Amino acid sequence: MTNSELIVDLRGRLIKTLNDFWDAVAEPCGLPEWFGRNLDAWSDTIETRGISAVIDSHDILIVHVDEQGLFDRHRQEATILASVFDGQQNRLIVHALV
């Protein structure tokens, strides 16, 4: 690893569903076409590593999103997705809209 952060900034992009989230992170995270597009696959990708060379080449993954759509008002899907991030090596940062 290169002792670096991979920052995926999705602020300004309306993410209404988990499918929207997978679409948004696919390219910047270098997800392969065969990526499972589910929480177990995401957990394997960011925790276990070995699935995305882009993520694997960084020590830390930080994903920034706006507090809207999927991430508005603590929706259950968003809470479950956020729980996959460990808060240290992998972080999801939800920004309040001003």
Side-chain angles (χ1 to χ4, degrees):
M1 297 214 190
T2 62
N3 216 13
S4 65
E5 297 177 346
L6 172 58
I7 298 173
V8 178
D9 193 345
L10 304 177
R11 289 176 287 185
R13 182 172 181 160
L14 180 58
I15 299 171
K16 294 182 180 181
T17 67
L18 280 174
N19 278 331
D20 292 341
F21 180 78
W22 306 135
D23 290 343
V25 297
E27 184 179 339
C29 289
L31 299 179
E33 287 185 26
W34 51 265
F35 173 74
R37 295 176 65 94
N38 62 63
L39 295 170
D40 288 334
W42 183 246
S43 178
D44 289 344
T45 302
I46 66 174
E47 295 294 329
T48 308
R49 307 279 175 129
I51 294 172
S52 163
V54 173
I55 291 174
D56 294 352
S57 67
H58 295 84
D59 292 314
I60 297 170
L61 168 65
I62 301 172
V63 178
H64 294 272
V65 295
D66 287 326
E67 187 179 35
Q68 65 177 348
L70 176 64
F71 300 99
D72 186 25
R73 309 243 186 233
H74 306 289
R75 287 183 46 195
Q76 184 177 6
E77 287 179 306
T79 301
I80 295 168
L81 174 60
S83 73
V84 175
F85 290 81
D86 65 12
Q88 295 177 25
Q89 181 182 18
N90 306 296
R91 300 180 200 139
L92 176 66
I93 300 172
V94 179
H95 297 268
L97 293 174
V98 181

